[in-house]
Amino acid sequence: MQVATYICITVDLALAIFEEPAVYPLPFLATSIIEVFCLLAFFGRLVHFSKVTPRSVFWKDTKNICVMVTIFLNLIDLIIHGSLLIAHIPIVRWSRVLRPIYLVNFAESRQIRRAFRSIRNTLPEILYVFLLFIFSVLMFSLMAQKLLGSRKLITSEGEPYFENYLEGVFNLYVLVTTANSPDVMMPAYDYSWWYSIFFIAYIILNTYIFMSVFLAVVYNNYRKHLKNEIRKLAYMKRRKMADAFNALKVQEGSEFVISETTWLKLVKLVAPDISNSHRELLLRVSKEDNQRYVGKEAFIRLADLLNIQVITMKTRMHPIECWMPHLYTCGASRFIRRVVLHKGFIYAFDVVIVVNAIFIALDDKNPLIANAEWVFLSLYVIEILLKLYTYDPRTFFAKSQFWNWFDTFIIIAALVATSVNTALKSASLYNSQEILDIVFILRVLRLIRIIDSIQRFRVIMNTLINILPTMLTFCGIILTIYYVFAIIGMEVFKNKIRFFPENSSEPYAQQCGAEALKDSSFAKSKYCKNNFNNLGSAFVVLVELTVVNQWHVIATGFALVTHPAAKLYFIAFHVVVVIMIINIFVAFILEAFFVEYSLEKSEVETAIEKKIQELGMAVQE
């Protein structure tokens, strides 16, 4: 049911790719049938919830009400749009902007809702700082108009300089993002260098102080609400584990406990994939020596024990030792294995990687450098073979040995690609640029291997890998916000700006198909592909706006072909995404990284490691 729900949500959101304005146009009848099918699936999921949830709880849940209202509004808009389309009356598809509600409000998306809740709780504090910031921008704009508006200065594009108050507000707001610095200051600076003090004071106050305060307020509030969320979750987990204990407890003397047999049955039920030795280890951590039961505190800790990754490694003889024991145990063989196990072996190949990087940066058209590639490939192949000779191949390529898999794949792929490219060159068939590009990429990717050699590099990479699943939650938030702004942009700006090839004979082809863009920075910068004519182009524009640089040129271009009020759309996007969401994302990354980057182990992890050592089960790796 969860998979079916996610598939329907994905299909429903993806319909914007095929609806007008479309990347790949489909008839309205086809997209409407697919949408109705998705809406029926959402309604069926709601009915399912209602059957397994008490009625009083179901109707008090805001999520269910939101989904139900959204389904109704989508159906109404679909019927109205279809009817007016038959009558050839143009109409806006206003309900498409509601589609992300399904992504947020179904029970499966609790992590995204939790993140949205953190954002919502952070907004009140941000609002006060934002209002003060806007007041500052308005005050400086008024001062700029009074100081510079009567000087009859003009910008580099020939426009009046701070004569219009709203234009002045927009220009100073853009200056906060540094996108039009120092362009907006130059006319005043050319007139008198004293005016530079005005702009410098403005930048210090609004760009550095206010933007830093934004981040500080966001981080402080996000951290506070995150702590509350975690405290609440920890309390709920402990309470539920206590309920489970009460359901399974038996009396042993004067206290209540869980019998060893019941504990093992429970662990087999909730974690069927862990090995018997792993299960036995957890049991020994949970109970006291010579006892046949588990106490309440140890039982409550079971959820934490099951969350800790413990790798079970089977001790095996090397296949060569099984087949040719005399050869594998001879003096020369033992010497080779000692060399491979020595740290000097790792350092030697780190030096090889660095030298390889220098050769990659040099001109590969030189025959000496081109032939050196085979030397490096040979050394890497020898390294892999020596490691396979020293370590058991089944252990070397275990599921947890990511870097071994990565090294081997990159080296084999580079060897194959280089061989194919050399063979094609020697046969004088053709010089395949695609294969050559693959060779170059694989050469560079080999340098990533050095990450595995330096402990702190490994810690940082593992930290990033560990927080990646949680980062996907924020990807869901960004996708939701991008989708809403993309749909609004497509409805407002579709076909206002068009892209034409260089040799096009269309009128105003060099002005993106709009006379209003003649001599504008938008047209001069050749930004014609930055349009809202389909979902793909809209997402690209929104990414460019997120990066901030030149966003005022894009905003001004769309304002020229529609109305000056169109700039409010771009300001709203900057406020929501760049000031709020990106700062919250930075706060999340900081908090998650601080927690994951710490090398300190938890009490439960330490208990497991101590028990492993007591049992003599630990291996050095």
Side-chain angles (χ1 to χ4, degrees), residues 97-231:
V97 79
L98 302 176
R99 286 174 181 169
I101 288 176
Y102 302 124
L103 178 64
V104 175
N105 282 286
F106 272 111
E108 290 81 359
S109 303
R110 61 175 59 87
Q111 295 293 346
I112 295 178
R113 276 198 309 281
R114 190 172 292 148
F116 267 114
R117 191 159 58 243
S118 295
I119 293 170
R120 184 189 65 203
N121 293 333
T122 307
L123 285 180
E125 293 297 328
I126 298 177
L127 184 62
Y128 291 113
V129 181
F130 182 73
L131 290 176
L132 196 57
F133 161 71
I134 291 298
F135 176 75
S136 172
V137 174
L138 294 175
M139 287 291 294
F140 271 93
S141 301
L142 188 60
M143 284 190 283
Q145 186 185 25
K146 297 301 180 185
L147 286 171
L148 304 168
S150 59
R151 305 294 181 188
K152 302 299 179 184
L153 303 175
I154 58 171
T155 65
S156 58
E157 296 180 348
E159 299 291 330
Y161 189 65
F162 281 104
E163 290 183 13
N164 183 293
Y165 180 67
L166 293 178
E167 281 294 324
V169 171
F170 179 73
N171 284 325
L172 287 185
Y173 184 86
V174 174
L175 182 57
V176 171
T177 69
T178 70
N180 63 349
S181 177
D183 296 356
V184 72
M185 182 183 73
M186 291 313 296
Y189 187 43
D190 290 340
Y191 184 80
S192 173
W193 74 271
W194 285 100
Y195 287 117
S196 65
I197 298 173
F198 170 83
F199 288 97
I200 291 169
Y202 175 82
I203 290 170
I204 291 172
L205 177 62
N206 292 283
T207 302
Y208 293 106
I209 295 179
F210 267 116
M211 290 300 113
S212 299
V213 170
F214 266 122
L215 178 58
V217 170
V218 167
Y219 178 68
N220 184 56
N221 283 275
Y222 176 81
R223 194 165 183 266
K224 180 178 70 176
H225 295 301
L226 183 66
K227 278 187 175 182
N228 290 336
E229 287 277 356
I230 292 171
R231 190 179 292 114

Side-chain angles (χ1 to χ4, degrees), residues 42 54 96 176 192 213 302 457 461 474 505 513 517 539 551 592 615:
F42 297 149
R96 295 196 298 172
V176 171
S192 173
V213 170
L302 175 60
F457 283 1
M461 287 301 298
F474 272 87
S505 58
L517 292 176
F539 266 70
W551 75 274
L615 297 171

